[in-house]
Amino acid sequence: MRCLSLANTNSQSVDRGLSFIAWLGVLLILGLPLLGLIPIFMVGLQAKAWQLLWSDPQFLPALKLTLFSAGISTLWSLILACALVFLFYPSKTWQRLQQQLPIFLAIPHAAFAIGLVFLLAPSGWLVRLVSPLFAWTAPPTWLTTTQDPYALSLSLALTLKETWFLLWVMTGLISQEWLVKQSLIAKSLGYSAWQAGWQILFPQVLKSLAWPLLAVFAYGLSVVDMALILGPSTPPSLAVLAWQWFADPDPIQQLKAQVLALVLVGLLVLGAGGAYLAYKFLTALWSKPSGRRQRTSVIRFLSPWFSYLLTLPFWLSLGLLLLWSLADSWFFPQIVPSRLGFATWQQAELEPLLMTLWIATCSVLISLPLALLWLEWGKQRQAYLYLPLIIPALPFTAAQYQLALLLKLEGSLSAVIWSHLAWVLPYILLVLTGAYQRLDTRYLLTAKTLGYNTWQACLYIKWPLLLRPIMAAAAVGFAVSVAQYLPTAFIGGGRIETVTTEAVSLSSGGNRATLAVQAVLQALLPLFAFMTATSLSRWYARQHPGLN
Amino acid sequence: MLHVQKLSLYQAQQALIQNLSFQVAAGEVLSVMGASGVGKSTLLTWMIGALSSAFTATGQCFLNQRRVDELPTEQRQIGILFQDDLLFPHLTVGGNLAFALPAHIKGSARQQQIDTALEQAGLAGFAKRDPSSLSGGQRARVSVLRALLAEPQALLLDEPFSRLDTALRQQFRSFVFAQIAHLQIPAVLVTHDLADVPSDGRIIQL
C-alpha cells in the first residue's frame, strides 16, 4: 500500500520525465536531420550551383530517366495493386496473395533486384531458357535487358516491388465493411466487379492512398541500391548521380550534389502537384457516369494468369538467388548448375552479416521503446514523424552526413545506427499506431482506478495487451534497418559493411555465387525476423486465448 | 415472378435454412421474419449472389422463368436496399442516380429522368447536392431511387426501415411500397418488426 501511494505522488514527475525522453529521442533522430536540411536548402540560393548543375551533360538525360522510372513505376504499381484487389477480393486467389504478401514485403529491394538480374540479364535464366531456339552458345551481346539505357528494367523492378507495398496498404482499407457493401450495390446495379472497383472503390480509396503513393514516388526518385544494380550507368539516374558526386571530395562536385538533392525534393513536389491535377481531372470525369455496363469476358479470362504474372518474378528471383549461391559451376546456356555445393557458403564473408544483425538489433532496441514512450507521452498524431518516408532519402541522408561530419562521427558504428533510426522509428510508429488506437482505452482507465500510475498501467496492462503488434513492429523495424543502403554507405563512409552494401558492391561484376550468398543473407534476415515475430505471437496467443 | 426452389443454406455443415421454397408475384412484397441469426440476411445475400465463403447453399432461384442463382450478381437484375443507404460519397445525389441509370438513356434524357425521379420523391432540385448534406430520410429515399432507376426485375429489402425514427419510417415505408406497386416487380422484405409488413402481405417465418 505504501508503495502504491508513493508511486502516485511521484506519478506526475514520472510522466514528465518520460515525456522528456520521448521528445528528446524524436528530436535527436528526426529533428536534427531536418535542421541539417537547412544548409542544403541554402545552397539552392547560389546561382552558381544551379549553373554548374545545368551545364553538366549528364543532368538532363538523367532527369528524364529518373522522372520516367519513378513516375511510370508509381503509376503502374497503383494500377496493378488496384487490379489485384478489384479482380480477386475476397476470393481464394486473394487469400493466397495475402499469404505471400509478407514474404514479398520482407524481401529487401537490393536482393530482389539481384534476383531479377539473374533472371533477366542477357546471361540470365530467361535467355538460357530460350537459347536452344536460337542456338546461342554465349549471351547475346546486343541484348540489354538489365541496366538498359531507358531504365526499363529498373522501372519494372520498382513496379513489382511497390505493387505489394500498395497492396498491403489497400488490404487495410478494403476490408472495411462499407466498401464491400458499396461494391455489392454497384454489382446489383449491373456493374462487373472490375467496373465497380474502378468507378466506386477507386475514387474513394485514392484519397487514403495519397501519402503511400507519395512515399512510393519519393522512393523511386531517390533509390540508389536498386538503380546501381539494375539501372543504366551512362547516364545513371539522378540519385545515383548525386551519390557519385557526394562521394567525390572535389568541392564543385559537392556543390552539384547538394543542388541535385534539392532537385529531387523539387521533383517530388512537382509530382505531387501533377498527381493532384490528375485527381481533379478524374473527379470531374467520374462525376457524370454514363451508365455503360461492360462485359468482362476478357478480363475474367486473363485474371488467373494475372496474379501469377506478379508473384512469379519474386519466386523465380528468390529461387535463382538460392541456386546461384549453391552453384559450384553454372555456365551459359545451362538452365541448372552442372554442379551444386556449399563451397561458396563455406568461404563466405560473415562479418557483414554480423554487422547487419548488430545494427538492426540496436536500431530496434532503441526505436521500439522510444515509439512506445512517444505513443503514450508524446503526441500521437504527428505527420512530421513520417517525413523520412516521404521526402527523398538522398537529401535527408546528406543532412545526416553533414551532422555526423560536424560531430566527427562519420564512419562510426553509432552514427550509422543513428542514421537508420530515422527510417526504423517512423515505420515502427506506422505499424503500432493503428493497434494502439484500436485498443480499448478503458483497460488503461481501469488500471488507473485501481491505483496505478500511467507508467505502471502501461507496463503491466497496456503493453502486454499490445505484445503482438509490438512484435510485428519490431520485425518491420528490423527489416527496414537491414534493407538500408544509402545511410549505411553514406554515413558509414565505406567503413561499415553490411550484407546490403556488400551485395550492392559485389553486383558490379565479380563472382555471381559470392554475390548470391550475400543477397540470400540479405533476403533471409528480414524473413527470419518476421518468422520469429509470427511464431512468438502464436505462442503468446496460445498462452492467452482471450487476447485478440 | 420470383421463385426460390428448395433452398438449403449451411454454415459449417450446420443447416441454417432447410428446403425453403416460395414464390413472389409481380408487385407483391413478401416479408421474411425471424429472430436474428436465423439466416434472414444470408437468404438475401444468396439471392443476390454475394454469399460469403463461410456458407454453402443448394437450391435454385428463378426470376421471370430465368434461372439466376448461377449468374454473377451484375447479371441477375436484382436490386437491393440495406439498413444503411450506402450512397456513394464521392458522387453527388445526381451522380449516384446517373450511375444507376442504364446507358441506353442518353444525353439530356439522363438528367431529365433523374430530375423527374427526384421530384416524385419530394427531392426536387437535389441533384447537385452532396449526399452528406441530406437528412437520413432524404438519403434513404435517394437510395431507393438509385436501386429502381437501374430497372431491376426484383428488389430485396434488408431491414431498410430500421434506422429511421417512427415518424419517418411510416412515410418511407409507404413510399417504397408505392414504388414497388408502380413498377410491378416482386420484392422480398427482411424485417424484425411486424409494423413493416404491408397490410395483407404474406409472411414467411424462419
Side-chain angles (χ1 to χ4, degrees):
Chain A
M1 207 53 225
R2 202 175 142 258
C3 176
L4 265 185
S5 62
L6 230 166
N8 282 340
T9 47
N10 283 337
S11 82
Q12 254 192 335
S13 56
V14 172
D15 281 349
R16 232 179 282 139
L18 293 171
S19 168
F20 176 74
I21 296 173
W23 277 96
L24 186 69
V26 167
L27 272 180
L28 283 177
I29 293 168
L30 301 171
L32 276 183
L34 287 175
L35 276 181
L37 279 174
I38 296 172
I40 298 180
F41 275 104
M42 300 300 275
V43 172
L45 299 176
Q46 300 181 26
K48 186 182 136 226
W50 289 100
Q51 276 165 2
L52 279 170
L53 181 68
W54 186 252
S55 59
D56 190 287
Q58 294 196 86
F59 173 64
L60 263 186
L63 177 72
K64 279 186 210 156
L65 207 79
T66 307
L67 264 182
F68 171 76
S69 61
I72 208 86
S73 61
T74 309
L75 192 65
W76 269 105
S77 51
L78 171 67
I79 293 172
L80 291 175
C82 286
L84 283 175
V85 174
F86 301 157
L87 283 176
F88 300 122
Y89 185 83
S91 67
K92 284 227 169 62
T93 311
W94 174 260
Q95 285 158 19
R96 253 201 330 273
L97 289 173
Q98 284 297 308
Q99 284 160 2
Q100 299 173 59
L101 184 59
I103 300 172
F104 298 157
L105 281 176
I107 297 172
H109 284 79
F112 177 54
I114 292 166
L116 274 186
V117 169
F118 291 167
L119 181 67
L120 300 174
S123 60
W125 196 72
L126 282 184
V127 173
R128 288 168 192 242
L129 208 59
V130 299
S131 64
L133 296 176
F134 306 97
W136 287 334
T137 51
T141 46
W142 47 268
L143 204 63
T144 49
T145 38
T146 50
Q147 302 201 319
D148 58 290
Y150 303 105
L152 291 175
S153 52
L154 174 64
S155 309
L156 175 75
L158 279 169
T159 304
L160 286 172
K161 192 75 175 79
E162 300 306 339
T163 298
W164 297 104
F165 169 69
L166 289 178
L167 194 70
W168 173 66
V169 177
M170 283 188 80
T171 305
L173 297 173
I174 206 77
S175 54
Q176 291 167 23
E177 178 74 14
W178 59 274
L179 272 179
V180 180
K181 280 207 166 154
Q182 283 195 354
S183 169
L184 180 60
I185 292 272
K187 279 191 251 176
S188 78
L189 295 173
Y191 291 88
S192 65
W194 180 254
Q195 262 190 307
W198 287 111
Q199 293 191 30
I200 297 301
L201 302 187
F202 184 63
Q204 295 181 61
V205 295
L206 207 50
K207 269 190 191 158
S208 318
L209 284 178
W211 290 109
L213 276 173
L214 203 59
V216 168
F217 185 60
Y219 190 89
L221 283 178
S222 61
V223 65
V224 170
D225 50 359
M226 250 188 174
L228 283 172
I229 296 164
L230 279 169
S233 50
T234 46
S237 64
L238 282 184
V240 172
L241 200 59
W243 169 227
Q244 288 168 351
W245 287 344
F246 267 122
D248 195 326
D250 179 1
I252 286 184
Q253 300 294 70
Q254 286 288 327
L255 204 60
K256 276 156 69 180
Q258 293 190 3
V259 207
L260 194 47
L262 271 186
V263 169
L264 288 176
V265 179
L267 289 181
L268 182 77
V269 175
L270 222 73
Y276 181 75
L277 288 181
Y279 175 71
K280 283 282 148 201
F281 172 74
L282 280 174
T283 318
L285 205 68
W286 284 319
S287 68
K288 283 208 182 298
S290 70
R292 220 173 52 242
R293 273 76 158 168
Q294 276 166 357
R295 292 275 163 215
T296 51
S297 48
V298 180
I299 289 156
R300 246 170 221 284
F301 173 73
L302 285 177
S303 60
W305 301 99
F306 173 63
S307 73
Y308 292 117
L309 206 69
L310 287 171
T311 53
L312 213 57
F314 277 85
W315 292 116
L316 284 175
S317 301
L318 277 184
L320 285 171
L321 285 181
L322 212 59
L323 209 54
W324 266 108
S325 78
L326 293 170
D328 259 0
S329 67
W330 192 0
F331 296 106
F332 195 88
Q334 293 164 343
I335 291 172
V336 286
S338 50
R339 229 181 33 243
L340 288 173
F342 288 97
T344 324
W345 279 98
Q346 279 158 2
Q347 293 156 18
E349 265 193 79
L350 292 179
E351 287 90 51
L353 174 69
L354 295 176
M355 183 62 91
T356 314
L357 264 174
W358 178 237
I359 293 174
T361 309
C362 287
S363 302
V364 171
L365 286 182
I366 297 169
S367 298
L368 193 60
L370 187 60
L372 288 171
L373 288 184
W374 179 261
L375 286 172
E376 200 61 48
W377 287 278
K379 285 198 169 152
Q380 279 201 14
R381 285 177 180 274
Q382 287 299 340
Y384 58 79
L385 292 179
Y386 301 112
L387 269 178
L389 312 186
I390 285 156
I391 45 178
L394 203 95
F396 198 82
T397 316
Q400 286 181 325
Y401 180 70
Q402 301 291 345
L403 278 167
L405 212 59
L406 208 69
L407 300 169
K408 301 217 179 349
L409 281 172
E410 84 278 13
S412 73
L413 184 61
S414 52
V416 170
I417 293 172
W418 166 74
S419 72
H420 280 208
L421 295 179
W423 285 273
V424 175
L425 180 67
Y427 269 109
I428 284 184
L429 277 170
L430 197 65
V431 175
L432 275 180
T433 304
Y436 220 83
Q437 283 166 352
R438 272 194 302 276
L439 188 76
D440 196 332
T441 48
R442 289 172 303 179
Y443 283 120
L444 202 66
L445 196 63
T446 308
K448 283 185 188 171
T449 60
L450 295 175
Y452 294 93
N453 65 27
T454 316
W455 163 254
Q456 291 167 319
C458 280
L459 197 61
Y460 298 127
I461 306 297
K462 196 169 193 178
W463 294 333
L465 281 173
L466 288 167
L467 200 66
R468 290 207 285 165
I470 286 173
M471 281 188 290
V476 168
F478 188 90
V480 167
S481 170
V482 169
Q484 292 303 323
Y485 171 75
L486 197 60
T488 319
F490 211 149
I491 315 317
R495 268 166 282 173
I496 307 284
E497 280 185 343
T498 63
V499 284
T500 306
T501 57
E502 193 68 3
V504 172
S505 63
L506 284 171
S507 71
S508 57
N511 189 327
R512 276 197 167 183
T514 323
L515 166 63
V517 166
Q518 295 298 330
V520 167
L521 287 177
Q522 201 214 4
L524 281 184
L525 276 176
L527 283 180
F528 169 73
F530 279 109
M531 267 152 52
T532 312
T534 318
S535 39
L536 279 176
S537 285
R538 289 220 181 103
W539 172 79
Y540 190 70
R542 268 201 305 277
Q543 304 292 312
H544 307 274
L547 211 67
N548 47 38
Chain B
M1 167 92 87
L2 183 67
H3 186 182
V4 166
Q5 209 170 23
K6 291 188 178 160
L7 167 69
S8 298
L9 273 173
Y10 305 90
Q11 184 175 23
Q13 268 90 52
Q14 206 180 350
L16 268 181
I17 294 175
Q18 252 175 334
N19 224 354
L20 175 73
S21 297
F22 60 82
Q23 294 191 2
V24 194
E28 188 193 358
V29 179
L30 174 78
S31 302
V32 178
M33 299 194 65
S36 41
V38 82
K40 301 188 301 288
S41 295
T42 316
L43 168 69
L44 294 194
T45 50
W46 173 75
M47 289 173 76
I48 199 139
L51 200 61
S52 99
S53 54
F55 300 92
T56 47
T58 58
Q60 299 174 336
C61 182
F62 295 89
L63 180 56
N64 300 334
Q65 279 80 51
R66 186 173 68 121
R67 185 166 176 191
V68 293
D69 57 274
E70 286 171 327
L71 295 175
T73 305
E74 63 265 28
Q75 286 169 26
R76 294 192 183 196
Q77 294 184 287
I78 301 178
I80 190 163
L81 286 179
F82 290 108
Q83 238 177 58
D84 307 298
D85 52 73
L86 292 165
L87 294 181
F88 305 132
H90 65 296
L91 296 174
T92 57
V93 168
N96 267 277
L97 299 182
F99 186 75
L101 214 56
H104 66 76
I105 300 161
K106 287 194 169 72
S108 59
R110 290 181 79 76
Q111 193 56 48
Q112 211 168 7
Q113 196 151 342
I114 290 166
D115 289 340
T116 318
L118 282 171
E119 210 175 286
Q120 281 168 355
L123 295 167
F126 274 60
K128 289 230 156 56
R129 296 270 291 267
D130 189 90
S132 64
S133 70
L134 270 60
S135 73
Q138 290 168 332
R139 292 170 59 106
R141 270 178 284 165
V142 175
S143 73
V144 175
L145 295 180
R146 183 177 65 179
L148 297 177
L149 280 178
E151 301 174 359
Q153 301 295 306
L155 189 63
L156 308 180
L157 306 153
D158 192 356
E159 305 197 38
F161 312 127
S162 60
R163 281 279 170 94
L164 301 172
D165 60 52
T166 345
L168 267 176
R169 205 164 165 158
Q170 183 52 42
Q171 205 186 359
F172 181 57
R173 241 179 341 233
S174 29
F175 172 73
V176 172
F177 294 151
Q179 296 285 331
I180 291 166
H182 173 69
L183 288 170
Q184 280 296 300
I185 54 171
V188 177
L189 166 70
V190 156
T191 179
H192 275 113
D193 190 350
L194 256 180
D196 286 343
V197 178
S199 49
D200 62 270
R202 282 193 300 138
I203 299 177
I204 289 182
Q205 196 78 37
L206 283 186

